[in-house]
Amino acid sequence: MQQPGIIQALTPEIEERIRNNPLLNIDTFIIPSPYISDPSARKDPDHSYVWIDEGEILGYLLCYSSADGKEFLIYKLVTSPYGRGRGIGTEFLVHLAGMIPPESEVYLYVWEKQHETVEFFRNKGFDPKDSIVYRNMVYHRLSAKREAVLEKVGGEQKRAPAADEIGRTRHDARKTLRSLTAMVNALAPENAGRIIEDINRETTTLVNMLNMYRDSMAMAHEVNLQDLILERLVPYVETSKEKVELAINLSASKPVVLGHWLNIGRALVNLASNALDAMAETDRPSRLTISLEDSGESDVLLRIRDNGIGIPEELLLPGEDGKPLFIGRSTKGTGKGEGIGTAQIWSTFGSERLNIASRMGEGTEWSICFERSALGLTKRFSSLQRRFHELQGLHEEIEITEKSPRTDIITAIWQVRKREIFLYELLERFSRHHNIRDLYRTVLAYFQGSLSEKEFESQVSEWKGEHPALNAWLSVTARRVCRRHEQLASQVDLAAFRGALFKSYGQSLEKVIIFTLNPATSEFLATDRKLAEHLDFVPYLGPDKDRMLRGEFVGDVNIDSNPIYLGVWSVNSQDDLLDKLRLLRDGVRTILDYGIHPEKKLSLYQTTYVRHSRDVDSDALTTFGEFSQMDDEEILARFARDADDEMQGFLAALD
């Protein structure tokens, strides 16, 4: 799990660098919560660390220890926006556990509504102990013995290296591909509609399965087992080359449980695959029974029973690791399996929820007990709810005045941009019933003063989203973004902070950020590409779009190899071509003034309307520094080319 980078001691000098680094101070809520219950605890420099990658601080852990050196409090654990998803938090835990004395305890406090954080630490061996009320909010104390952390996290690292995970993904992908092949072979006029739906579903599952290797899915979410059985398990069995009598009994009153949709789906397909193989090795007709029923008030019981060859009694016995001996090894003939399927099943459900009964010559039954969900929330909604509370309920804004230091102002800009990016995600939740570009135009008009707060709130209240709470969250978030911008603009000259205003959009690591720039004024407006078009910003930046530039970027603009794209709307003549190249050069110089590195890659957009035989060369590559230094003759020679002529007749007709 270790990523490129190095863990070093957190020295006073580095702490000062952290205090002056806006990227490490933008979070309005520190994870875990900084709270100390032990008056004797003191800051422990020997067990506080920083993560440095190529000279950049991407995270730090600040630890306090008790007077007797037996308890260690994780006071702060912070990761830069550009270090998230790299396993830095986990590496800090491993390093801390490896350095503290045997039998010592590590603990921390987490706000009760931070479900993802609680889940993260519980997966690392931490158990909830008690709760306290701090600043009128409830916090859970999570603690773990040093040995438990090393065993849990170290075990995870040993069990799930990249090669093993690729092997498991490859194993499951083969099953899905076999199912897709069977569906294609079964395609006929009378079943085309159903088969095509099944193919689309399996294709989506395959894509999600491959994406899972890339993405983290640490937070448990709601899974409807009945839907999962009907959407994943039944089509898989029905398209099997073996003739199977399938009996289904879905009698659970509330089949919604907590788990991971993709993990559970993979495990159930593995169970079905193993059952089909076991039944294929007998001479009798194959029969597979799937039942889903209530088990008490809080549990749901899933049973999958086949009448295959069964599992030898001696392989059902537990091994040294507590698992039945057949787990992780194939019970099929030579060359017919790798045992990966049973290992994935066991990993997904674990010994506490699994019961396996089998008799040679009669068949096997897997019983899986699930905890029924009481949340009533989807994963997405739960995540949005948590983040809304973090950004709103726990917000502690830095007070900005005319005398505020530059670092505080930049931190405030990054904080408000973080809330604005959250606003983009809220807007997406209304896309089922609205064109979200129309909704964003309403938000933009409010931000730019063309729409009053009362008018804005009235419109937002009428939007139809996935949950009624989203309207209130969006309204509150937009108001606080707007008021914070107004407060900043009233206290400081934001023209001197356009670099921070521009770079702060890079917190949205996976979104494509589009912007429209007026080089004459150095002003720009930007947002998520899904929410707007470049032209939406033109009325707020100046009267003439042909004197502006359109652009886009993804992620951290300080990564020089990730290009920023720039382009113009039209080229009408040879003189206009040179004029537009000059405009691009002006824009490049403006963005360099924002603090972009001269080595930053620059790419050029295809021109939207070309009414001339020559055009800007969108295939030419350069850097911001190089392009900014070129004279007219060089820029025309290197960045102009013959125009593509496919659209010339159409554009001439438009004129």
Side-chain angles (χ1 to χ4, degrees):
M1 188 176 291
Q2 177 83 23
Q3 302 296 321
I6 187 170
I7 294 177
Q8 298 180 4
L10 181 61
T11 64
E13 293 75 19
I14 293 178
E15 280 196 89
E16 183 62 28
R17 286 178 59 190
I18 289 171
R19 279 192 289 270
N20 294 323
N21 186 339
L23 301 183
L24 296 171
N25 292 281
I26 62 171
D27 283 316
T28 55
F29 184 71
I30 300 297
I31 301 173
S33 167
Y35 170 79
I36 301 175
S37 60
D38 179 5
S40 72
R42 295 290 181 268
K43 184 186 295 186
D44 189 343
D46 294 331
H47 297 100
S48 298
Y49 311 108
V50 62
W51 180 287
I52 297 181
D53 189 355
E54 296 183 355
E56 182 179 5
I57 300 173
L58 294 184
Y60 70 95
L61 181 149
L62 180 58
C63 188
Y64 279 61
S65 60
S66 61
D68 60 7
K70 294 183 178 180
E71 290 187 333
F72 295 84
L73 166 66
I74 298 177
Y75 183 75
K76 288 187 181 181
L77 179 57
V78 179
T79 305
S80 161
Y82 303 134
R84 288 168 190 163
R86 298 178 57 175
I88 292 176
T90 300
E91 290 294 338
F92 275 140
L93 290 180
V94 174
H95 192 78
L96 175 63
M99 299 298 290
I100 61 180
E103 297 300 318
S104 54
E105 183 181 87
V106 182
Y107 70 100
L108 56 110
Y109 288 92
V110 181
W111 183 40
E112 64 174 348
K113 294 187 179 181
Q114 287 189 291
H115 306 297
E116 290 181 6
T117 305
V118 173
E119 185 74 13
F120 172 83
F121 282 101
R122 291 190 69 170
N123 287 336
K124 307 307 176 190
F126 286 76
D127 294 318
K129 298 299 182 182
D130 51 24
S131 301
I132 58 100
V133 177
Y134 177 59
R135 295 181 180 176
N136 296 319
M137 289 170 286
V138 177
Y139 293 84
H140 298 311
R141 176 184 170 119
L142 302 176
S143 67
K145 290 292 186 182
R146 167 188 181 270
E147 288 72 20
V149 176
L150 290 175
E151 179 181 356
K152 187 72 174 180
V153 182
E156 286 180 355
Q157 293 174 326
K158 291 176 183 177
R159 287 193 302 271
D164 287 351
E165 179 60 22
I166 290 174
R168 284 193 292 272
T169 303
R170 183 169 56 238
H171 172 266
D172 294 315
R174 286 198 195 107
K175 283 189 169 69
T176 303
L177 289 172
R178 284 199 296 269
S179 180
L180 285 168
T181 301
M183 289 176 184
V184 172
N185 292 336
L187 192 62
E190 62 272 15
N191 65 7
R194 180 177 63 82
I195 293 292
I196 289 171
E197 287 183 7
D198 289 341
I199 289 173
N200 287 336
R201 184 165 52 246
E202 288 299 309
T203 302
T204 301
T205 298
L206 179 59
V207 171
N208 289 338
M209 187 183 300
L210 297 175
N211 285 342
M212 186 184 181
Y213 178 67
R214 180 197 64 191
D215 298 332
S216 170
M217 296 185 65
M219 180 184 175
H221 51 272
E222 288 188 334
V223 177
N224 188 312
L225 284 179
Q226 180 171 301
D227 291 347
L228 192 56
I229 290 168
L230 295 175
E231 293 179 5
R232 293 284 288 124
L233 211 52
V234 172
Y236 184 83
V237 174
E238 287 183 341
T239 56
S240 168
K241 64 181 180 180
E242 306 294 337
K243 186 177 180 180
V244 179
E245 179 186 347
L246 180 61
I248 303 176
N249 174 25
L250 304 177
S251 61
S253 58
K254 295 180 180 179
V256 179
V257 302
L258 285 176
H260 303 86
W261 191 93
L262 189 54
N263 283 351
I264 295 174
R266 291 169 73 182
L268 297 186
V269 167
N270 278 323
L271 274 175
S273 175
N274 291 343
L276 293 172
D277 290 341
M279 292 186 294
E281 296 192 30
T282 69
D283 296 329
R284 57 180 175 272
S286 299
R287 178 180 175 84
L288 185 66
T289 303
I290 301 172
S291 66
L292 189 65
E293 59 195 51
D294 293 324
S295 177
E297 296 183 359
S298 60
D299 294 331
V300 179
L301 185 64
L302 172 64
R303 290 192 177 100
I304 300 177
R305 184 171 67 252
D306 66 67
N307 64 340
I309 59 171
I311 300 171
E313 184 176 352
E314 63 272 15
L315 292 182
L316 292 171
L317 298 174
E320 294 181 358
D321 57 3
K323 304 175 186 176
L325 292 171
F326 77 92
I327 298 294
R329 58 182 287 187
S330 176
T331 58
K332 306 171 188 176
T334 304
K336 293 186 178 180
E338 302 168 350
I340 292 178
T342 55
Q344 192 271 331
I345 295 165
W346 191 271
S347 173
T348 298
F349 301 127
S351 60
E352 295 179 355
R353 291 196 285 167
L354 272 176
N355 183 61
I356 306 161
S358 185
R359 286 189 178 184
M360 287 298 295
E362 295 184 15
T364 302
E365 181 179 89
W366 291 71
S367 299
I368 310 162
C369 187
F370 293 89
E371 178 185 0
R372 182 179 283 117
S373 171
L375 293 178
L377 306 175
T378 64
K379 174 188 176 184
R380 172 68 69 175
F381 184 86
S382 179
S383 176
L384 290 173
Q385 181 186 55
R386 173 188 59 80
R387 293 173 61 199
F388 175 78
H389 284 295
E390 288 180 11
L391 290 169
Q392 310 301 332
L394 297 177
H395 185 66
E396 296 180 5
E397 289 182 340
I398 299 173
E399 183 180 357
I400 299 299
T401 68
E402 295 178 354
K403 298 180 180 180
S404 294
R406 183 175 180 84
T407 301
D408 285 358
I409 297 169
I410 293 175
T411 298
I413 289 170
W414 279 74
Q415 285 180 339
V416 73
R417 189 73 73 221
K418 182 177 182 179
R419 181 177 277 117
E420 183 180 334
I421 292 169
F422 174 67
L423 179 67
Y424 302 163
E425 296 187 40
L426 290 176
L427 280 167
E428 290 180 39
R429 308 334 302 166
F430 293 88
S431 62
R432 182 175 298 177
H433 303 283
H434 303 273
N435 181 332
I436 56 174
R437 290 192 170 181
D438 290 338
L439 304 190
Y440 179 73
R441 291 187 185 102
T442 300
V443 174
L444 181 62
Y446 170 55
F447 283 171
Q448 296 300 315
S450 299
L451 196 67
S452 71
E453 185 172 295
K454 184 176 180 180
E455 291 171 324
F456 173 72
E457 291 183 350
S458 175
Q459 293 192 31
V460 171
S461 67
E462 297 177 357
W463 295 350
K464 295 180 180 179
E466 297 174 354
H467 193 284
L470 292 171
N471 301 68
W473 295 353
L474 192 146
S475 180
V476 169
T477 302
R479 286 202 312 269
R480 299 195 73 161
V481 168
C482 190
R483 291 172 182 174
R484 186 59 163 168
H485 273 303
E486 292 174 350
Q487 191 266 338
L488 286 169
S490 69
Q491 296 297 321
V492 299
D493 179 12
L494 287 181
F497 293 90
R498 287 206 175 104
L501 291 166
F502 186 77
K503 292 181 179 181
S504 58
Y505 280 101
Q507 294 177 82
S508 180
L509 296 177
E510 296 181 356
K511 295 183 184 296
V512 177
I513 297 297
I514 65 164
F515 63 92
T516 301
L517 169 68
N518 186 340
T521 63
S522 297
E523 295 180 339
F524 74 92
L525 289 171
T527 192
D528 181 355
R529 180 198 230 163
K530 294 191 291 291
L531 301 179
E533 299 174 0
H534 293 93
L535 280 172
D536 292 332
F537 296 129
V538 170
Y540 304 106
L541 292 171
D544 186 359
K545 74 173 176 21
D546 281 329
R547 302 314 304 164
M548 299 182 201
L549 298 175
R550 54 199 180 97
E552 72 175 50
F553 62 87
V554 179
D556 184 1
V557 294
N558 287 324
I559 300 176
D560 296 335
S561 58
N562 291 346
I564 292 177
Y565 288 79
L566 287 177
V568 296
W569 268 279
S570 65
V571 171
N572 301 312
S573 65
Q574 185 64 18
D575 289 342
D576 189 46
L577 173 60
L578 178 57
D579 187 48
K580 294 302 169 54
L581 288 169
R582 289 169 175 162
L583 183 67
L584 284 165
R585 185 175 58 198
D586 291 342
V588 164
R589 290 171 177 172
T590 297
I591 294 176
L592 282 171
D593 288 340
Y594 292 167
I596 299 299
H597 303 156
E599 297 79 16
K600 179 75 171 177
K601 295 292 184 184
L602 170 67
S603 294
L604 302 177
Y605 276 142
Q606 185 92 21
T607 304
T608 306
Y609 301 107
V610 182
R611 302 179 178 88
H612 179 53
S613 59
R614 301 278 287 169
D615 185 18
V616 175
D617 186 357
S618 59
D619 294 328
L621 297 175
T622 184
T623 64
F624 273 72
E626 182 182 42
F627 195 88
S628 69
Q629 298 300 318
M630 292 182 186
D631 58 27
D632 289 357
E633 183 177 350
E634 185 177 6
I635 207 171
L636 192 61
R638 286 191 54 184
F639 293 94
R641 69 175 182 188
D642 292 339
D644 297 330
D645 59 1
E646 288 88 348
M647 298 294 289
Q648 291 300 311
F650 174 71
L651 292 172
L654 288 179
D655 290 340

mmCIF file of all heavy atoms in Angstrom, residues 503-522:
data_model
loop_
_atom_site.group_PDB
_atom_site.id
_atom_site.type_symbol
_atom_site.label_atom_id
_atom_site.label_comp_id
_atom_site.label_asym_id
_atom_site.label_seq_id
_atom_site.Cartn_x
_atom_site.Cartn_y
_atom_site.Cartn_z
ATOM 1 N N LYS A 503 -6.291 28.352 -8.765
ATOM 2 C CA LYS A 503 -5.739 27.050 -8.380
ATOM 3 C C LYS A 503 -6.661 26.266 -7.450
ATOM 4 O O LYS A 503 -6.630 25.038 -7.429
ATOM 5 C CB LYS A 503 -4.378 27.239 -7.715
ATOM 6 C CG LYS A 503 -3.282 27.742 -8.642
ATOM 7 C CD LYS A 503 -1.961 27.882 -7.888
ATOM 8 C CE LYS A 503 -0.841 28.359 -8.779
ATOM 9 N NZ LYS A 503 0.449 28.467 -8.039
ATOM 10 N N SER A 504 -7.481 26.966 -6.674
ATOM 11 C CA SER A 504 -8.323 26.279 -5.694
ATOM 12 C C SER A 504 -9.344 25.363 -6.339
ATOM 13 O O SER A 504 -9.869 24.454 -5.692
ATOM 14 C CB SER A 504 -9.021 27.298 -4.791
ATOM 15 O OG SER A 504 -9.802 28.204 -5.544
ATOM 16 N N TYR A 505 -9.650 25.576 -7.622
ATOM 17 C CA TYR A 505 -10.545 24.653 -8.319
ATOM 18 C C TYR A 505 -9.910 23.270 -8.470
ATOM 19 O O TYR A 505 -10.611 22.294 -8.727
ATOM 20 C CB TYR A 505 -10.915 25.200 -9.696
ATOM 21 C CG TYR A 505 -11.992 26.252 -9.661
ATOM 22 C CD1 TYR A 505 -11.671 27.602 -9.751
ATOM 23 C CD2 TYR A 505 -13.330 25.908 -9.527
ATOM 24 C CE1 TYR A 505 -12.659 28.581 -9.722
ATOM 25 C CE2 TYR A 505 -14.325 26.874 -9.495
ATOM 26 C CZ TYR A 505 -13.977 28.205 -9.594
ATOM 27 O OH TYR A 505 -14.962 29.170 -9.549
ATOM 28 N N GLY A 506 -8.599 23.186 -8.314
ATOM 29 C CA GLY A 506 -7.911 21.909 -8.433
ATOM 30 C C GLY A 506 -8.244 20.930 -7.328
ATOM 31 O O GLY A 506 -7.884 19.752 -7.409
ATOM 32 N N GLN A 507 -8.948 21.392 -6.264
ATOM 33 C CA GLN A 507 -9.402 20.454 -5.229
ATOM 34 C C GLN A 507 -10.342 19.411 -5.804
ATOM 35 O O GLN A 507 -10.465 18.304 -5.268
ATOM 36 C CB GLN A 507 -10.135 21.211 -4.125
ATOM 37 C CG GLN A 507 -9.283 22.146 -3.326
ATOM 38 C CD GLN A 507 -10.123 22.890 -2.307
ATOM 39 O OE1 GLN A 507 -10.422 22.371 -1.238
ATOM 40 N NE2 GLN A 507 -10.499 24.111 -2.626
ATOM 41 N N SER A 508 -11.021 19.767 -6.876
ATOM 42 C CA SER A 508 -11.926 18.837 -7.535
ATOM 43 C C SER A 508 -11.105 17.941 -8.451
ATOM 44 O O SER A 508 -11.009 18.153 -9.657
ATOM 45 C CB SER A 508 -12.971 19.617 -8.336
ATOM 46 O OG SER A 508 -13.846 18.751 -8.986
ATOM 47 N N LEU A 509 -10.475 16.902 -7.853
ATOM 48 C CA LEU A 509 -9.457 16.136 -8.560
ATOM 49 C C LEU A 509 -9.986 15.389 -9.764
ATOM 50 O O LEU A 509 -9.256 15.156 -10.724
ATOM 51 C CB LEU A 509 -8.803 15.147 -7.595
ATOM 52 C CG LEU A 509 -8.021 15.760 -6.437
ATOM 53 C CD1 LEU A 509 -7.485 14.667 -5.530
ATOM 54 C CD2 LEU A 509 -6.890 16.638 -6.938
ATOM 55 N N GLU A 510 -11.255 14.968 -9.738
ATOM 56 C CA GLU A 510 -11.775 14.136 -10.815
ATOM 57 C C GLU A 510 -12.733 14.876 -11.735
ATOM 58 O O GLU A 510 -13.224 14.294 -12.701
ATOM 59 C CB GLU A 510 -12.473 12.908 -10.224
ATOM 60 C CG GLU A 510 -11.522 12.001 -9.452
ATOM 61 C CD GLU A 510 -12.220 10.787 -8.900
ATOM 62 O OE1 GLU A 510 -13.455 10.697 -9.046
ATOM 63 O OE2 GLU A 510 -11.529 9.932 -8.331
ATOM 64 N N LYS A 511 -13.012 16.129 -11.467
ATOM 65 C CA LYS A 511 -13.913 16.894 -12.325
ATOM 66 C C LYS A 511 -13.119 17.678 -13.362
ATOM 67 O O LYS A 511 -12.028 18.169 -13.080
ATOM 68 C CB LYS A 511 -14.764 17.863 -11.488
ATOM 69 C CG LYS A 511 -15.729 17.184 -10.531
ATOM 70 C CD LYS A 511 -16.569 18.221 -9.803
ATOM 71 C CE LYS A 511 -17.477 17.567 -8.776
ATOM 72 N NZ LYS A 511 -18.463 16.686 -9.407
ATOM 73 N N VAL A 512 -13.684 17.790 -14.543
ATOM 74 C CA VAL A 512 -13.103 18.672 -15.558
ATOM 75 C C VAL A 512 -13.623 20.080 -15.280
ATOM 76 O O VAL A 512 -14.835 20.323 -15.280
ATOM 77 C CB VAL A 512 -13.501 18.226 -16.973
ATOM 78 C CG1 VAL A 512 -12.946 19.197 -18.008
ATOM 79 C CG2 VAL A 512 -13.006 16.816 -17.248
ATOM 80 N N ILE A 513 -12.717 20.987 -15.013
ATOM 81 C CA ILE A 513 -13.077 22.375 -14.724
ATOM 82 C C ILE A 513 -12.938 23.192 -15.998
ATOM 83 O O ILE A 513 -11.867 23.234 -16.608
ATOM 84 C CB ILE A 513 -12.182 22.961 -13.616
ATOM 85 C CG1 ILE A 513 -12.375 22.197 -12.307
ATOM 86 C CG2 ILE A 513 -12.482 24.452 -13.421
ATOM 87 C CD1 ILE A 513 -13.771 22.281 -11.725
ATOM 88 N N ILE A 514 -14.027 23.806 -16.425
ATOM 89 C CA ILE A 514 -13.958 24.721 -17.569
ATOM 90 C C ILE A 514 -13.935 26.155 -17.044
ATOM 91 O O ILE A 514 -14.460 26.446 -15.968
ATOM 92 C CB ILE A 514 -15.140 24.533 -18.533
ATOM 93 C CG1 ILE A 514 -16.477 24.909 -17.864
ATOM 94 C CG2 ILE A 514 -15.190 23.113 -19.071
ATOM 95 C CD1 ILE A 514 -17.614 25.118 -18.838
ATOM 96 N N PHE A 515 -13.304 27.044 -17.802
ATOM 97 C CA PHE A 515 -13.269 28.451 -17.405
ATOM 98 C C PHE A 515 -13.288 29.323 -18.644
ATOM 99 O O PHE A 515 -12.891 28.900 -19.738
ATOM 100 C CB PHE A 515 -12.037 28.756 -16.549
ATOM 101 C CG PHE A 515 -10.715 28.554 -17.239
ATOM 102 C CD1 PHE A 515 -10.080 29.604 -17.905
ATOM 103 C CD2 PHE A 515 -10.093 27.311 -17.230
ATOM 104 C CE1 PHE A 515 -8.859 29.424 -18.535
ATOM 105 C CE2 PHE A 515 -8.868 27.119 -17.849
ATOM 106 C CZ PHE A 515 -8.251 28.170 -18.507
ATOM 107 N N THR A 516 -13.778 30.521 -18.470
ATOM 108 C CA THR A 516 -13.725 31.550 -19.505
ATOM 109 C C THR A 516 -12.916 32.706 -18.943
ATOM 110 O O THR A 516 -13.165 33.153 -17.818
ATOM 111 C CB THR A 516 -15.134 32.007 -19.906
ATOM 112 O OG1 THR A 516 -15.875 30.881 -20.385
ATOM 113 C CG2 THR A 516 -15.076 33.061 -20.995
ATOM 114 N N LEU A 517 -11.951 33.171 -19.719
ATOM 115 C CA LEU A 517 -10.975 34.161 -19.258
ATOM 116 C C LEU A 517 -11.022 35.397 -20.139
ATOM 117 O O LEU A 517 -11.033 35.290 -21.373
ATOM 118 C CB LEU A 517 -9.569 33.542 -19.301
ATOM 119 C CG LEU A 517 -8.378 34.479 -19.108
ATOM 120 C CD1 LEU A 517 -8.329 35.018 -17.687
ATOM 121 C CD2 LEU A 517 -7.072 33.753 -19.445
ATOM 122 N N ASN A 518 -11.033 36.554 -19.514
ATOM 123 C CA ASN A 518 -10.898 37.821 -20.219
ATOM 124 C C ASN A 518 -9.478 38.325 -19.993
ATOM 125 O O ASN A 518 -9.182 38.877 -18.923
ATOM 126 C CB ASN A 518 -11.914 38.834 -19.697
ATOM 127 C CG ASN A 518 -11.913 40.133 -20.492
ATOM 128 O OD1 ASN A 518 -10.940 40.447 -21.178
ATOM 129 N ND2 ASN A 518 -13.003 40.884 -20.397
ATOM 130 N N PRO A 519 -8.567 38.149 -20.953
ATOM 131 C CA PRO A 519 -7.172 38.561 -20.732
ATOM 132 C C PRO A 519 -7.009 40.057 -20.472
ATOM 133 O O PRO A 519 -6.058 40.467 -19.799
ATOM 134 C CB PRO A 519 -6.478 38.151 -22.045
ATOM 135 C CG PRO A 519 -7.353 37.084 -22.623
ATOM 136 C CD PRO A 519 -8.739 37.476 -22.249
ATOM 137 N N ALA A 520 -7.937 40.859 -20.981
ATOM 138 C CA ALA A 520 -7.808 42.313 -20.811
ATOM 139 C C ALA A 520 -7.983 42.721 -19.357
ATOM 140 O O ALA A 520 -7.363 43.697 -18.902
ATOM 141 C CB ALA A 520 -8.833 43.032 -21.691
ATOM 142 N N THR A 521 -8.797 41.987 -18.605
ATOM 143 C CA THR A 521 -9.056 42.339 -17.207
ATOM 144 C C THR A 521 -8.452 41.333 -16.230
ATOM 145 O O THR A 521 -8.471 41.571 -15.012
ATOM 146 C CB THR A 521 -10.569 42.404 -16.949
ATOM 147 O OG1 THR A 521 -11.140 41.100 -17.156
ATOM 148 C CG2 THR A 521 -11.235 43.405 -17.884
ATOM 149 N N SER A 522 -7.957 40.203 -16.752
ATOM 150 C CA SER A 522 -7.432 39.087 -15.948
ATOM 151 C C SER A 522 -8.519 38.374 -15.147
ATOM 152 O O SER A 522 -8.216 37.555 -14.290
ATOM 153 C CB SER A 522 -6.322 39.553 -14.983
ATOM 154 O OG SER A 522 -5.223 40.057 -15.696
#
